[in-house]
Amino acid sequence: MSAEAEAAAGQPALAADGGVIHNIGYRRYDAERLGRWRIVQALTWHSYRAAFGLGRGGKAKVFPALLFALLCLPAAVNAVALATNPHSQPLVSYDAYIPALRTVTVLIFVALEAPNLLSADLRNHTLPLYFARPMHRIDYPVAKLIALSLAVLTIVEIPELLLYIGNVSQVHGAGQAWEQTLRLLPGLLYGAAWAVLLASLGLLLASTTGRRVFAICATGVPLFFSYILAHALAQAGQQAFGPAGPGQPSALTSLAGLISPFTLLGGVLRWLQAPRGVRVPAQMLQATTVGHYGPVYGAVFAALTIAAVGGLILRYRKIGVA
Amino acid sequence: MIAQPATTRDQAGQPESGAVIEARGLTKRYGLTVTALADLTVTIWPGITGLIGANGAGKSTLIKILLGLLEPTSGRAFVLGHDCVRDGFAIRSLTGYMPEHDCLPPDVTATELVTHLGRMSGLPPTAAKERAADSLRHVGLYEERYRQIGTYSTGMKQRVKLAQALVGDPRLLLLDEPTNGLDPAGRTAMLDLIAKIGSEFGISILVASHLLGEIEQICDHLVAIDAGCLLRADSVSSVTRATAALLVEVDDGIELLQAELARRGLGPVRFQRGLLVQLAGDATYDAVRDSVADLGLPLCRMEQRRHQVEELFRDAPAAPADPAVSVAPAMPGSQPTGAAGVR
């Protein structure tokens, strides 16, 4: 602060109403500065809130809240059913939950919120303001990826936990409660796979354009139509080729699920369930079946996730400075 | 003092202590054909420094290299003692950057945006709020700061851009065309603001502009670049001395006036609808006034004009005795002072 400003600071002026106005001049900031990791954390938290419309207008909150409530509904129905009829079996499984409902809600959530997290900064050319600050080029997409993954995780896992609470509250003894807990854990892990794959894929697709409406289309349309196509091909494979052997679907039917991320996730679940002998009826899963190709599903899942994350990071290496 | 053409200095050595910005043989090429910066060597000391050049001269490229956002093809640059290539992170925590183009989201308030960007500069939540309010107040936004940026005028948006550069309490501000799109009053206000930040807040400033007449008012030093090369770097006073010309327009009798001014040794040159004379202090004005009065001509315009930047920074400007050769060819691109154009 210059001597002049200090002099001004030392002489409070009298305001009209008798109050005192202090001209405090320019103040330096000498206190703690947060490091790179804490800045990424702040951006992640900001984006996570934004994914649910928090810190944005009222309209932005409607869809996330609606989708979340919709996904919680089966868990609530399950809890009520168990409470009224203690001898009934749980209606909803931890692993698959209600696949069609989860697919639709998560698809809409990702198609709406991935563009919300990215397109405004692209459209308004705000990125240079970020990149001119103490962060590295990779930090921005990584923060957005963590934020959207956590957001998807939130809307997928909280219904799982509600389901668990509903089930546990009706069982007797620690043994049964422990059994429920053991069944919940794979469900939570599976939900995490959903979160990471769909968030990375959604953000990569959304980062292609700064126009929000186009970004929503660019995200939603491929996710939706690949899902329809996977089902159509699986059906066609069944009708055209019939089973490859006793209890074995044709190769086309088994591999059709690789096309869509949702059926891919379903295939991964079936592959992992097989050794455990847990059988979820085929119609409850998105993919009709995976046949012998379970490991292929696992490999494609891993490759697609890595490719989407890598693609997103590469995309943000290129833009923002030109 | 601002510049040394320090071509002999050790290329791998340490940055000069006390220098705010130091570039050594800085070159940036895009592909094989486009050269944005060509072997630029310049040292900039604390204070307000103007970076002058036409559009495409390499001003923005230089700023992005200084921020560590672009990697130079060759050469080195230091900002506040940090290497731009290896230590961009440290530089970016000490500098504030105001981009040239529009970069503000329309659907948030200025307070929200500047607070958020303060957090991105590494401020804790409370400090970010306080400093955002302070910065917006310093740039002259008060109650408006709770309104969405989309409702702002261009001048207010430029102020928000300046406030976000200021929020992290930088040691150095890099301002890229801060008066872009502003009306004359807005330009003056923005320049006053920059001068205040430089003098009262004690923050060094590099302000890029293609309007020399504009920023010479507030700068201590000037660095002129053209096509990526350094034209000249010097203090404002030594650069702008004896470079102005006077445009005189009369409603009729221009031939008479030309003859009269020639007789008085001012060497008038026909330019557009008037006459140009080299401006050498108040005596020139007096001579023009006396000539017009003696001839009884209706004077309708007297205006100070400036040369193109290449003309201005050429080391040996042609003598005023032969302005037809040295001045006139450069004139068509020039504009009144206050907005002296560079091509």
Side-chain angles (χ1 to χ4, degrees), chain B residues 15 18 24 34 41 48 53 71 86 154 165 168 178 202 261 272 278 306 339:
Chain B
R24 293 181 199 165
V34 182
T41 297
I48 305 181
E71 229 173 88
R86 285 186 315 212
T154 311
L261 289 176
Q272 291 172 3
Q278 201 75 16
R306 192 170 299 291

Side-chain angles (χ1 to χ4, degrees), chain B residues 21-306:
Chain B
I21 295 168
E22 195 184 351
R24 293 181 199 165
L26 207 57
T27 301
K28 176 69 184 175
R29 284 194 202 89
Y30 295 102
L32 291 171
T33 48
V34 182
T35 303
L37 288 178
D39 197 25
L40 184 74
T41 297
V42 66
T43 305
I44 294 171
W45 301 99
I48 305 181
T49 304
L51 179 63
I52 299 284
N55 292 328
K59 303 187 299 286
S60 297
T61 303
L62 175 61
I63 287 181
K64 279 165 189 163
I65 289 175
L66 295 177
L67 280 167
L69 298 178
L70 277 181
E71 229 173 88
T73 310
S74 64
R76 299 185 74 180
F78 299 93
V79 174
L80 301 164
H82 296 280
D83 187 311
C84 289
V85 177
R86 285 186 315 212
D87 222 359
F89 191 86
I91 291 172
R92 291 194 293 272
S93 54
L94 293 169
T95 47
Y97 169 52
M98 174 175 175
E100 175 181 3
H101 54 71
D102 208 9
C103 59
L104 303 175
D107 52 356
V108 296
T109 68
T111 303
E112 282 167 0
L113 178 76
V114 178
T115 305
H116 173 60
L117 290 171
R119 301 244 30 216
M120 296 298 101
S121 292
L123 301 178
T126 317
K129 272 195 200 113
E130 284 173 9
R131 286 204 57 89
D134 272 9
S135 308
L136 287 165
R137 186 169 51 79
H138 285 309
V139 300
L141 290 172
Y142 301 92
E143 293 311 309
E144 309 93 308
R145 66 177 193 260
Y146 301 113
R147 255 169 44 200
Q148 294 203 330
I149 294 172
T151 67
Y152 285 12
S153 67
T154 311
M156 288 159 78
K157 284 182 188 164
Q158 292 294 87
R159 285 161 188 265
V160 177
K161 277 161 69 176
L162 186 58
Q164 66 80 27
L166 207 53
V167 68
D169 185 25
R171 294 282 93 87
L172 170 69
L173 278 177
L174 301 172
L175 311 177
D176 200 347
E177 303 276 4
T179 55
N180 241 8
L182 298 182
D183 59 21
R187 282 166 188 273
T188 311
M190 175 58 72
L191 293 171
D192 288 348
L193 198 53
I194 294 168
K196 185 177 100 178
I197 291 170
S199 59
E200 286 182 24
F201 299 4
I203 297 172
S204 290
I205 300 175
L206 179 71
V207 47
S209 178
H210 62 283
L211 301 172
L212 172 73
E214 191 173 277
I215 63 171
E216 71 176 10
Q217 303 163 17
I218 57 162
C219 293
D220 311 317
H221 306 288
L222 286 177
V223 173
I225 59 174
D226 184 51
C229 298
L230 182 69
L231 280 177
R232 187 159 164 194
D234 218 329
S235 70
V236 167
S237 53
S238 66
V239 166
T240 56
R241 199 185 311 129
T243 52
L246 189 66
L247 178 69
V248 184
E249 265 184 49
V250 285
D251 279 344
D252 56 30
I254 193 161
E255 293 83 4
L256 288 175
L257 182 62
Q258 188 169 10
E260 174 64 17
L261 289 176
R263 195 183 60 75
R264 290 174 186 258
L266 291 176
V269 183
R270 286 293 278 272
F271 176 70
Q272 291 172 3
R273 295 186 305 140
L275 294 169
L276 271 179
V277 292
Q278 201 75 16
L279 190 58
D282 287 345
T284 312
Y285 287 105
D286 292 346
V288 170
R289 179 201 60 201
D290 295 343
S291 308
V292 171
D294 291 351
L295 295 167
L297 296 175
L299 179 68
C300 66
R301 184 171 173 201
M302 268 211 322
E303 180 184 284
Q304 198 180 331
R305 298 209 147 217
R306 192 170 299 291

Side-chain angles (χ1 to χ4, degrees), chain A residues 114-153:
Chain A
N116 263 341
L117 295 194
L118 297 184
S119 63
D121 286 341
L122 284 171
R123 182 178 60 247
N124 302 317
H125 309 286
T126 315
L127 286 170
L129 299 186
Y130 285 97
F131 294 151
R133 292 187 141 70
M135 54 167 67
H136 288 276
R137 196 49 79 85
I138 190 175
D139 294 351
Y140 179 89
V142 164
K144 295 287 177 178
L145 183 60
I146 297 172
L148 190 60
S149 301
L150 287 177
V152 175
L153 205 62

Side-chain angles (χ1 to χ4, degrees), chain A residues 87-175:
Chain A
H87 300 294
S88 70
Q89 286 296 306
L91 300 174
V92 185
S93 85
Y94 288 118
D95 290 352
Y97 203 65
I98 307 280
L101 179 70
R102 186 187 266 182
T103 298
V104 170
T105 46
V106 171
L107 193 156
I108 297 175
F109 183 77
V110 169
L112 284 179
E113 300 308 327
N116 263 341
L117 295 194
L118 297 184
S119 63
D121 286 341
L122 284 171
R123 182 178 60 247
N124 302 317
H125 309 286
T126 315
L127 286 170
L129 299 186
Y130 285 97
F131 294 151
R133 292 187 141 70
M135 54 167 67
H136 288 276
R137 196 49 79 85
I138 190 175
D139 294 351
Y140 179 89
V142 164
K144 295 287 177 178
L145 183 60
I146 297 172
L148 190 60
S149 301
L150 287 177
V152 175
L153 205 62
T154 305
I155 72 159
V156 167
E157 306 278 46
I158 286 184
E160 290 269 316
L161 293 174
L162 289 177
L163 193 63
Y164 173 73
I165 293 167
N167 287 341
V168 163
S169 62
Q170 294 304 321
V171 299
H172 303 288

Side-chain angles (χ1 to χ4, degrees), chain A residues 190 257 261-273 285-287 289-290 293-294 297-298:
Chain A
Y190 182 55
F262 295 104
T263 50
L264 176 65
L265 286 161
V268 170
L269 178 61
R270 284 195 59 105
W271 170 49
L272 296 176
Q273 275 177 333
L285 288 171
Q286 296 97 324
T289 179
V290 295
Y293 299 100
Y297 276 78

